[in-house]
């Protein structure tokens, strides 16, 4: 704490701890029981200072070293980051986002509850990510359809979708709820709910419910076998949402 620079205008809750070399700007509200790691920057000034709003960081956050959180975002409780992450301004983030090492959220994004982003994930500006979404390492959510340009066509990912390692979500793609983007796939266009997308052409390979690990006989969708990875209080919510998505996927398949 002695080596940190905390603006006296910042609003800081109870039981908040700071590592060495932390910078907290004045336009910040930090909830109770947060831990801020070494050399992190909380409330970094926005590139658009005339429209800047406070950074609101919910209770129970764990911010690991060298994180940079810009002013102007509203982050729900129990954020957990890895090292060297960036969250830009004007983002709305739900409960218990886990953001892996060297990942970045490039601002004006909408991130749901209990989202998991592994290391080196890149979320382009204005993206929308639903609840219980998984983004594995090196996934890229693009937004410029003619780079470099001033055009913006952000990505939308529905609830409970899974995006695997090194997948690319092209500008404007809408990933349906519960869909599965395979490793190395390039997803584009409108993707129905509950399907598997594979390969550089983003081909739909079939329904997610047909996916199975042969040795263990474990089947997707993942709520059938992975609900225990979340707090008990949200298990019913996961079950209801999974049932909605399976019904939606079945209806979409019948209409094809």
């Amino acid at each position: 704490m002695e080596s940190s620079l905390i603006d006296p205008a910042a609003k800081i809750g109870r039981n908040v701890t700071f590592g060495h070399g932390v910078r907290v700007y004045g336009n910040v509200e930090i909830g109770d029981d947060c831990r801020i790691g070494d050399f992190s920057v909380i409330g970094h000034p926005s590139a658009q200072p005339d429209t800047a709003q406070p950074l609101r960081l919910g209770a129970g956050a764990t911010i690991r070293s060298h994180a940079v959180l810009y002013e102007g975002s509203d982050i729900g409780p129990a954020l957990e980051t890895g090292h060297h992450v960036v969250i830009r301004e004007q983002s709305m983030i739900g409960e218990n986002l886990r953001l892996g090492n060297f990942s970045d959220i490039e601002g004006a994004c909408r991130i749901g509850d209990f989202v998991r982003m592994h290391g080196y994930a890149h979320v382009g500006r204005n993206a929308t990510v639903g609840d219980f979404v998984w983004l594995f390492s090196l996934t890229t959510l693009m937004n410029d359809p003619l780079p470099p340009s001033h055009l913006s066509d952000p990505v939308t990912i529905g609830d409970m979708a899974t995006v695997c390692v090194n997948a690319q979500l092209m500008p404007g793609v809408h990933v349906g709820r519960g869909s599965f983007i395979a490793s190395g796939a390039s997803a584009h266009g409108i993707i129905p709910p509950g399907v598997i997308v594979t390969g550089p052409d983003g081909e739909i390979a079939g329904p997610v419910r047909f996916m199975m690990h042969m040795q263990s006989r474990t089947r997707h969708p993942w709520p059938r076998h992975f609900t225990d990875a979340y707090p008990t209080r949200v298990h019913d919510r996961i079950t209801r949402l999974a049932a909605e998505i399976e019904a939606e996927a079945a209806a979409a398949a019948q209409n094809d």
Side-chain angles (χ1 to χ4, degrees), residues 102-153:
F102 294 96
S103 293
D104 63 291
I105 297 173
E106 285 299 316
C109 294
R110 299 294 178 266
I111 311 293
D113 294 334
F114 298 99
V115 172
R116 305 294 185 248
M117 299 185 188
H118 286 202
Y120 295 91
H122 169 77
V123 179
R125 191 169 180 83
N126 291 307
T128 298
V129 179
D131 299 333
F132 301 103
V133 168
W134 286 80
L135 302 181
F136 286 92
S137 298
L138 299 170
T139 57
T140 302
L141 279 60
M142 306 180 196
N143 65 356
D144 188 346
L146 190 68
S149 76
H150 296 298
L151 302 174
S152 178
D153 195 3

Side-chain angles (χ1 to χ4, degrees), residues 67-204:
V68 180
L69 277 57
Y70 279 64
E71 66 182 350
S73 287
D74 196 329
I75 302 174
L79 170 69
E80 183 176 346
T81 81
H83 306 277
H84 295 272
V85 306
V86 176
I87 300 177
R88 293 292 301 268
E89 63 275 359
Q90 299 177 343
S91 290
M92 300 289 292
I93 296 173
E95 181 179 357
N96 193 212
L97 168 66
R98 292 183 180 174
L99 186 62
N101 298 338
F102 294 96
S103 293
D104 63 291
I105 297 173
E106 285 299 316
C109 294
R110 299 294 178 266
I111 311 293
D113 294 334
F114 298 99
V115 172
R116 305 294 185 248
M117 299 185 188
H118 286 202
Y120 295 91
H122 169 77
V123 179
R125 191 169 180 83
N126 291 307
T128 298
V129 179
D131 299 333
F132 301 103
V133 168
W134 286 80
L135 302 181
F136 286 92
S137 298
L138 299 170
T139 57
T140 302
L141 279 60
M142 306 180 196
N143 65 356
D144 188 346
L146 190 68
S149 76
H150 296 298
L151 302 174
S152 178
D153 195 3
V155 167
T156 299
I157 303 177
D159 301 331
M160 284 188 175
T162 301
V163 184
C164 292
V165 173
N166 205 33
Q168 298 181 2
L169 274 59
M170 304 303 288
V173 65
H174 285 241
V175 178
R177 299 201 301 173
S179 284
F180 184 97
I181 313 301
S183 296
S186 179
H188 55 85
I190 306 298
I191 296 171
V195 299
I196 306 164
V197 175
T198 64
D201 295 326
E203 297 179 357
I204 295 177

